[in-house]
Amino acid sequence: RLQSRYSIDPRRVYVVGHSNGGYMAHRLACVAASHFAAVVSSGGALFANLGACTPDAPIAVLELHGSEDASTRYEGGFLDRDREPLPYLGAEGGIAAWARMNRCAPRPNRALPPKDLANGDRVFETRVTSYEGCAPGGAAELWTVEGAGHLPVLGPHIGVEIRRFLERNARITSHAGR
């Protein structure tokens, strides 16, 4: 409906969310990938029930996660709910799952240069893990902020870096049904 009212480039529709919004970004990629070029989750996770994650197209996924996150644990865990705990994958397991769904190379490239995202002090504390050779439109990257918790103090470069990821992953062609 918004695309019919406003001038929106369908190749550049993105979802970015933190915490619950990060879970939402993963969920939207699972159920409506063809509507988005990329999703960015910060401190969110992909739920462990991968049978419920059936993307209808490859999609670029970036997970930004603190290695000491106690709310959405880096190594995975359970989201507490009223009824029963809901399991979620850890940051590395989640991005590996996206790499499989996006038909990327089976092993990640861990030799990429680190980033200075936490506070702009030129200390390169963010480890970058990227899967290469993905299907067109797909990507899977994990940026691990070493020592950071659920709300890392991010420096002035974070917006620029996320925008670079998004621009790198604009859709080449739009999908039918958008």
Side-chain angles (χ1 to χ4, degrees):
R1 187 170 20 163
L2 290 174
Q3 285 179 334
S4 68
R5 293 181 99 183
Y6 302 100
S7 177
I8 296 174
D9 182 349
R11 298 171 302 145
R12 290 179 174 84
V13 178
Y14 309 111
V15 177
V16 178
H18 175 72
S19 194
N20 282 339
Y23 283 94
M24 180 192 70
H26 283 287
R27 186 71 188 130
L28 286 171
C30 286
V31 300
S34 64
H35 292 278
F36 307 102
V39 299
V40 177
S41 164
S42 169
L46 179 62
F47 288 112
N49 179 7
L50 293 178
C53 186
T54 55
D56 58 354
I59 187 166
V61 178
L62 169 61
E63 177 65 35
L64 172 65
H65 215 102
S67 66
E68 302 300 318
D69 189 335
S71 295
T72 301
R73 300 177 58 81
Y74 187 84
E75 60 277 355
F78 294 88
L79 187 64
D80 292 328
R81 296 182 2 175
D82 292 338
R83 294 171 281 181
E84 69 213 40
L86 189 60
Y88 61 86
L89 299 175
E92 291 178 5
I95 212 64
W98 279 114
R100 287 189 301 277
M101 288 185 275
N102 282 324
R103 300 185 307 277
C104 305
R107 298 201 191 286
N109 182 353
R110 297 181 193 272
L112 296 167
K115 295 181 181 294
D116 173 25
L117 299 182
N119 55 18
D121 60 6
R122 295 205 174 280
V123 174
F124 297 99
E125 76 300 297
T126 301
R127 234 180 331 117
V128 177
T129 302
S130 179
Y131 287 83
E132 298 171 353
C134 304
E141 284 190 29
L142 170 62
W143 298 353
T144 302
V145 185
E146 295 294 344
H150 193 60
L151 294 169
V153 177
L154 298 172
H157 297 102
I158 186 64
V160 170
E161 291 292 334
I162 289 174
R163 183 174 178 171
R164 284 182 184 150
F165 173 83
L166 296 174
E167 288 175 351
R168 234 181 14 251
N169 289 292
R171 291 244 189 242
I172 296 168
T173 59
S174 61
H175 289 284
R178 276 198 161 174

